[in-house]
Amino acid sequence: MTGRLDRAGALPGTNLEQTRALNRRAVFDAVRRNGPVTRAELAREIGLTVQGISNIAAELEEAGLIRQEGKRVGQRGQPAVELSVNPQGGYTIGLCLAYRRAMGVLVDLTGEVVASDTCDYAERHPAAITRILHAQTRRLIDKAGVPEEQIWGIGCSVPGTVVNGAFWYDKVQEAEEWTHFPMAGELERLTGHRVILENDATVASIGERLYGIGRVANSFFYLHFTLGIGGGVVTDGHHYRGAFGGAGEIGHMIVKPGGRLCPCGSRGCLEQYVSFYAAAEAVCGPDRAPDEVPAEELAAYCRDGDLRILGWQQQAGQYLRIAIRNIEAMFDPDTIVIGGGLPSELLDGLIAATAPLLPVMAHRSASRLPRLMPAEHASDLPARGAAALPIAMAMQPNISNAAWSRTSKALPEISSPALAILGVATARG
């Protein structure tokens, strides 16, 4: 057998080379999560020798992924050099498709926002909305002035069920046109970058884990309002999608047996009573569909004390109490976080209407966090959560989950030395 050896003596394509890429990813991820960090600390966490860590760190530094921050002082012996992520080592884009609004951010490897963009839209066809997201992507890249080869990918948050890069959404009048629409593939074709599509509740929970309540709560359940209501599950610091990507679909928990018919085929699902759609249904009248009611109109009704909205809040609060108690019984989270696109006036009233919550389970009596908390999010948090998806893919390039599978086979080649050294394929054709 002949072939050209790399400088470590490994034949390209061998298991040894894959192991080296895996070790590089492990070191990079540990620096990203824990930095500034010393080589000795990395060795203890990952289980490699200090010399092995030093060799890998040199490769990552040469690729521009990490950098030396300085020396650790106050310890015995020679001060140890600290390593941290190089923010300019790569960039990701996060897009958030919300109700009548698209939000986007371009962030560096530390998650700091380099450029942001928000646009309202009235279009209702998925192809038109995909073109809006493409235009938003171009604006973000132009604002940031980032070279194309430094962009690791695009994460996109959508309000629907995601399977293999396509999703459907049953809360709009044109539901048939949204059925299994291949948004990831279309957006890849337009932008030339890998696109990872994910359900908005899962993405919101990722954003909350990275930048919000996740700083003090290791396990939580995120209740996310859009036209419907979804959920995201974070356990032991990691988000959980389930076997088919549907973990946390709290909107289809039955809270009133024999109640209203839901598009899922069941009756009495939670989102038939607790959702933006349900709130809008209370005020839209016979001449409009609920998804045609602007959020600002609902907020104004709430401020004016409209009895229709106040009545919805009180009824919805009682059904939400049931859901909260069931979530606690199933997942035993540190807390339940409630957020999303519901106007703050409606959200505050809804939270108030859940009081008093149903009796707490005995083992939760010592919890230091309230059972229900509003999300600690800024306006760009869902998009920042979406921007974390390409990094998650880079850390797990062989992931087989159907929702994150490759969708397009005709992407242009964008050479990324940083991704190459992490063992992530850069050939797009």
Side-chain angles (χ1 to χ4, degrees), residues 74-128:
Q75 295 179 332
R76 293 180 180 179
Q78 188 73 16
V81 175
E82 293 181 322
L83 303 173
S84 66
V85 165
N86 176 15
Q88 288 78 46
Y91 300 86
T92 63
I93 293 173
L95 305 176
C96 177
L97 183 62
Y99 179 55
R100 293 174 175 261
R101 175 166 293 179
M103 296 168 285
V105 294
L106 188 148
V107 305
D108 63 26
L109 288 187
T110 66
E112 289 300 310
V113 175
V114 179
S116 62
D117 185 84
T118 300
C119 65
D120 295 329
Y121 64 87
E123 288 80 357
R124 299 167 65 86
H125 193 282

Side-chain angles (χ1 to χ4, degrees), residues 48-341:
L48 298 174
T49 66
V50 174
Q51 184 59 52
I53 293 291
S54 296
N55 293 339
I56 294 172
E59 293 176 326
L60 295 176
E61 188 174 359
E62 184 180 352
L65 288 170
I66 65 174
R67 64 186 184 185
Q68 299 185 25
E69 282 292 321
K71 294 185 176 181
R72 181 77 56 86
V73 296
Q75 295 179 332
R76 293 180 180 179
Q78 188 73 16
V81 175
E82 293 181 322
L83 303 173
S84 66
V85 165
N86 176 15
Q88 288 78 46
Y91 300 86
T92 63
I93 293 173
L95 305 176
C96 177
L97 183 62
Y99 179 55
R100 293 174 175 261
R101 175 166 293 179
M103 296 168 285
V105 294
L106 188 148
V107 305
D108 63 26
L109 288 187
T110 66
E112 289 300 310
V113 175
V114 179
S116 62
D117 185 84
T118 300
C119 65
D120 295 329
Y121 64 87
E123 288 80 357
R124 299 167 65 86
H125 193 282
I129 294 175
T130 303
R131 290 192 290 272
I132 290 172
L133 294 176
H134 170 230
Q136 186 170 61
T137 299
R138 296 313 316 172
R139 288 196 299 272
L140 288 168
I141 295 174
D142 291 343
K143 286 180 182 179
V146 173
E148 296 281 345
E149 62 271 16
Q150 282 197 279
I151 296 175
W152 288 23
I154 300 169
C156 186
S157 161
V158 294
T161 303
V162 177
V163 177
N164 199 28
F167 82 107
W168 64 91
Y169 191 33
D170 58 16
K171 294 293 183 297
V172 294
Q173 289 177 321
E174 299 86 351
E176 295 81 7
E177 295 173 344
W178 286 88
T179 300
H180 292 193
F181 180 75
M183 178 169 280
E186 285 298 298
L187 201 51
E188 284 183 339
R189 181 181 63 81
L190 292 171
T191 65
H193 290 284
R194 165 70 67 85
V195 175
I196 305 169
L197 205 66
E198 183 57 280
N199 169 263
D200 55 359
T202 298
V203 168
S205 70
I206 292 172
E208 196 68 32
R209 173 174 62 83
L210 293 173
Y211 310 113
I213 194 64
R215 294 170 295 181
V216 295
N218 203 35
S219 299
F220 63 90
F221 191 98
Y222 189 95
L223 279 169
H224 185 68
F225 278 91
T226 54
L227 275 183
I229 182 172
V233 184
V234 173
T235 59
D236 296 328
H238 301 282
H239 69 279
Y240 174 68
R241 299 190 76 255
F244 307 102
E249 275 290 357
I250 196 68
H252 296 291
M253 172 186 289
I254 295 176
V255 294
K256 187 177 182 180
R260 297 177 185 172
L261 180 64
C262 179
C264 76
S266 297
R267 288 187 174 274
C269 291
L270 176 67
E271 70 174 30
Q272 293 301 307
Y273 306 95
V274 185
S275 62
F276 188 104
Y277 193 91
E281 202 172 29
V283 300
C284 66
D287 299 325
R288 288 186 299 176
D291 62 302
E292 295 175 325
V293 178
E296 294 77 11
E297 183 178 334
L298 288 182
Y301 283 136
C302 194
R303 289 191 296 269
D304 294 341
D306 187 283
L307 293 179
R308 296 170 297 176
I309 282 294
L310 297 181
W312 170 80
Q313 284 179 329
Q314 291 305 308
Q315 181 192 55
Q318 300 314 301
Y319 290 120
L320 187 57
R321 293 171 77 222
I322 298 172
I324 290 168
R325 185 63 175 75
N326 288 337
I327 291 169
E328 290 176 338
M330 289 187 294
F331 297 103
D332 194 25
D334 291 321
T335 186
I336 295 172
V337 181
I338 184 169

